[in-house]
Amino acid sequence: RSASDPSSPQSDRTLSTAGALKYRNIYEGVERRQAFPKGASFQIFEWVSRLTRTMATLFHDVEAARLLLPGLTVGRLLDGALALFFVRLLLAMAAHPHMLLPRYGRTHRLTGSLLLLYLMLGLADVRLTPLLRLRGAYDVGLSLLGLATAFSAARDFGSARVHLRGSEASGILDEKATVSRSEMLEHCFYQLLNLCQVGFLYASAALPHSRAARTALAAALLLPWLARSRFPVNSFSANYKTPGVGGTTPLIRFLYRLKKWQYLLYKHFLLHGLNVSVAMGGGGGGGEG
């Protein structure tokens, strides 16, 4: 008798196995619902997680999309644009070597150059061929170099009167804007936050079957924000909310508004939304989520 015959022993074993899997899935689902009752907080976390995943799917395989020319994809176009950007930057540095030679601010100049080379190495590793095997070490090094670059700028240049005073508007969107010392120190906070984020993502990947542990880690990742007030705060809205203050042109003021919404997108979706999604969805390594 064939396996499709309902009276065959193989068919009985198949039905029995399917039934066992069905009831096991039902049991695990009930167990998860009992362990995580769907209160208001849980539903909010689940909604943010789903929204973040939906946003991620919008860009899934977008680099493989073909453009007008034969063999040209979005990914190859991005590779060319990134290569052009870094080549242009290196040519500018070669044409103006005095940017790196003066003793004044030398620590920051050398640290920034090292960060640039480090970024280029990571770009080649990701976009071309895998060269690095210790991805976690690279990510930690990137955060530490970013922190060192920001702090060395505050230490080497921050005592100058122009940097103590800063510009009318924060940031450097305006052509005549000057980065203030408070902005340099504020940037140090976000580099430390990136370092905590790296630790959370790798720790969550090591806990694919423990949603409770991942949720606890995601909650712990909110603790650095308690120290936010110890760092300077430069408001984006101060650049455009008062007429005649901030950007010198309507375009610059519009870009400051756009930068404000970009920050909100980063903080609530790309940062907190990502953490919730990882905590609820399995840490990128499978699991019950």
Side-chain angles (χ1 to χ4, degrees):
R1 291 177 296 179
S2 65
S4 60
D5 188 348
S7 61
S8 68
Q10 185 178 355
S11 176
D12 293 339
R13 287 194 299 271
T14 303
L15 292 175
S16 176
T17 302
L21 289 174
K22 176 182 178 182
Y23 285 109
R24 189 187 69 178
N25 293 335
I26 293 175
Y27 172 76
E28 289 180 350
V30 172
E31 187 180 36
R32 287 198 298 271
R33 285 194 294 270
Q34 291 174 348
F36 297 91
K38 291 201 173 185
S41 299
F42 182 87
Q43 290 178 352
I44 292 175
F45 286 160
E46 192 172 39
W47 179 81
V48 173
S49 175
R50 289 179 178 177
L51 182 60
T52 304
R53 289 186 176 187
T54 300
M55 293 177 63
T57 57
L58 294 177
F59 300 97
H60 182 64
D61 291 336
V62 68
E63 291 193 19
R66 295 186 178 276
L67 299 176
L68 298 177
L69 300 178
L72 181 62
T73 63
V74 173
R76 291 179 179 177
L77 183 63
L78 289 175
D79 290 340
L82 288 170
L84 181 62
F85 169 78
F86 280 104
V87 167
R88 177 66 181 86
L89 189 58
L90 291 175
L91 289 177
M93 293 174 63
H96 302 85
H98 59 274
M99 292 191 300
L100 305 177
L101 297 179
R103 295 181 59 184
Y104 174 64
R106 179 172 294 176
T107 302
H108 175 69
R109 300 173 197 272
L110 296 179
T111 306
S113 300
L114 183 60
L115 176 59
L116 174 62
L117 296 176
Y118 198 76
L119 284 170
M120 294 177 62
L121 177 62
L123 177 65
D125 179 53
V126 171
R127 307 299 302 183
L128 300 178
T129 180
L131 302 173
L132 304 175
R133 299 303 178 186
L134 300 177
R135 293 299 178 88
Y138 178 86
D139 294 334
V140 171
L142 186 61
S143 297
L144 292 177
L145 272 176
L147 174 63
T149 302
F151 183 76
S152 62
R155 192 191 67 172
D156 291 353
F157 302 113
S159 59
R161 182 177 302 177
V162 63
H163 294 292
L164 288 175
R165 183 179 66 251
S167 302
E168 188 179 73
S170 62
I172 53 173
L173 291 178
D174 202 318
E175 184 178 358
K176 298 181 179 180
T178 301
V179 179
S180 66
R181 183 175 185 272
S182 65
E183 291 175 273
M184 302 173 193
L185 294 176
E186 183 182 21
H187 193 63
C188 291
F189 169 78
Y190 288 101
Q191 290 297 336
L192 290 172
L193 195 65
N194 287 341
L195 189 60
C196 296
Q197 186 77 16
V198 169
F200 165 72
L201 292 175
Y202 279 96
S204 297
L207 299 168
H209 303 290
S210 180
R211 178 181 290 175
R214 296 194 308 271
T215 303
L217 289 174
L221 203 58
L222 297 174
L223 295 178
W225 288 95
L226 297 177
R228 180 66 184 92
S229 60
R230 296 181 177 272
F231 292 81
V233 177
N234 294 275
S235 174
F236 287 113
S237 58
N239 298 319
Y240 56 79
K241 68 179 181 180
T242 304
V245 176
T248 55
T249 65
L251 175 60
I252 297 297
R253 289 191 289 272
F254 168 76
L255 291 177
Y256 274 119
R257 289 179 181 271
L258 191 63
K259 190 176 180 181
K260 168 71 172 181
W261 287 105
Q262 179 188 24
Y263 173 75
L264 293 177
L265 173 67
Y266 153 75
K267 180 178 179 180
H268 296 290
F269 292 97
L270 302 183
L271 183 65
H272 297 319
L274 172 64
N275 297 341
V276 172
S277 180
V278 170
M280 304 299 294
E288 78 280 11

